[in-house]
C-alpha cells in the first residue's frame, strides 16, 4: 500500500501541510462593468430570462446579486467585461418589455479584487481578514463573490489599488516577506 492509496479520488483540495500559504495571491481586474436591472418582476424564471438573453448575445457574466423588495420586484446586478457593455445595453433596451424591468444602469467605474488560495477551504477567518482589511482602508464593497478557493469583491475603481495593497499586507504577501503575486486580466 502506498501513500496514494490513502487519498480520496475526489480530494481536489489536498492539505498541503503547514508550510503551504492559506492565501497564495491577490488578483485584480480593472476591466469590469457593473450592470443593474431595477424593478424586475420578482417571480420564478425572471433571472433565467435575463441571463438567457445575455448569453444569446455572447455576453459573459461573472458576479451576480439579486435583491428582492417588498413591492414584488427585485434588482439584479451583475458584472460583465467592459468590452461587452454596448451589447448589454442593446439587449436590455430591446428586451425591456419582455423582461419587464423598470430601469437599468451601467457603472464602468468599478474594479474587482480577489484573494486566491487552496488553504481557504481548511482555515477559518479568511473572509473576516479580507473584509477587515478593506474596511480599515475605507474601501466600500459593492458586490461579493466566493468559491472554495477565492473571495472576490467589486470596489469603486479609484479604490482598487488601495484594496490590492491592503490585502497584500493583510495576508503577508508584501514584497519584503514573499514575492507578491498580482494578476491582471480577468482576475478570475
Amino acid at each position: 500500500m502506498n501513500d496514494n492509496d490513502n487519498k480520496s479520488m475526489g480530494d481536489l483540495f489536498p492539505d498541503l501541510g503547514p508550510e503551504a500559504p492559506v492565501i497564495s495571491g491577490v488578483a485584480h481586474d480593472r476591466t469590469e462593468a457593473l450592470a443593474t436591472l431595477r424593478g424586475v418582476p420578482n417571480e420564478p424564471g425572471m433571472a433565467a430570462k435575463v441571463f438567457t438573453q445575455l448569453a444569446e448575445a455572447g455576453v459573459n457574466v461573472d458576479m451576480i446579486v439579486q435583491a428582492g423588495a417588498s413591492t414584488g420586484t427585485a434588482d439584479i446586478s451583475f458584472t460583465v467585461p467592459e468590452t461587452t457593455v454596448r451589447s448589454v445595453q442593446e439587449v436590455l433596451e430591446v428586451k425591456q418589455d419582455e423582461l419587464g424591468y423598470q430601469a437599468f444602469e451601467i457603472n464602468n467605474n468599478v474594479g474587482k479584487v480577489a484573494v486566491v488560495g487552496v488553504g481557504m477551504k481548511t482555515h477559518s477567518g479568511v473572509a473576516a481578514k479580507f473584509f477587515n482589511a478593506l474596511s480599515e482602508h475605507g474601501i466600500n464593497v459593492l458586490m461579493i463573490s466566493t468559491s472554495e478557493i477565492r473571495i472576490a469583491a467589486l470596489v469603486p475603481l479609484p479604490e482598487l489599488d488601495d484594496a490590492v495593497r491592503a490585502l497584500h499586507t493583510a495576508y503577508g504577501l508584501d514584497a519584503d516577506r514573499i514575492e507578491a503575486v498580482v494578476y491582471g486580466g480577468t482576475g478570475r
Side-chain angles (χ1 to χ4, degrees):
M1 179 175 196
N2 64 38
D3 288 342
N4 289 336
D5 292 339
N6 293 328
K7 289 189 174 185
S8 163
M9 292 295 286
D11 191 4
L12 297 177
F13 304 103
D15 183 2
L16 300 176
E19 299 301 316
V22 174
I23 297 300
S24 55
V26 176
H28 70 283
D29 186 354
R30 303 178 182 285
T31 64
E32 296 271 326
L34 173 63
T36 301
L37 287 174
R38 304 236 181 253
V40 177
N42 195 6
E43 56 191 47
M46 287 311 300
K49 286 182 184 178
V50 169
F51 295 111
T52 297
Q53 294 299 325
L54 293 170
E56 288 174 358
V59 175
N60 184 20
V61 175
D62 184 19
M63 303 169 91
I64 301 170
V65 172
Q66 178 174 322
S70 60
T71 60
T73 64
D75 291 345
I76 301 175
S77 296
F78 52 94
T79 62
V80 296
E82 203 170 40
T83 57
T84 64
V85 165
R86 183 171 297 205
S87 295
V88 170
Q89 289 173 318
E90 289 171 1
V91 167
L92 295 180
E93 287 171 0
V94 169
K95 299 294 184 176
Q96 183 172 7
D97 289 341
E98 182 180 333
L99 298 175
Y101 68 86
Q102 295 168 5
F104 81 89
E105 57 194 54
I106 303 281
N107 181 354
N108 290 315
N109 201 27
V110 297
K112 182 171 53 176
V113 62
V115 295
V116 182
V118 295
M120 292 174 61
K121 183 176 168 81
T122 56
H123 289 78
S124 62
V126 176
K129 185 178 285 191
F130 183 95
F131 295 111
N132 280 321
L134 297 180
S135 175
E136 288 167 3
H137 288 82
I139 298 168
N140 188 34
V141 173
L142 306 172
M143 190 180 279
I144 301 164
S145 174
T146 64
S147 74
E148 288 183 313
I149 62 167
R150 179 183 78 138
I151 300 172
L154 198 69
V155 300
L157 190 57
E159 298 174 7
L160 183 61
D161 290 339
D162 289 339
V164 170
R165 281 189 290 275
L167 293 170
H168 269 114
T169 300
Y171 291 104
L173 298 172
D174 289 331
D176 63 337
R177 298 185 204 180
I178 64 171
E179 184 176 335
V181 179
V182 179
Y183 302 96
T186 64
R188 293 184 185 136

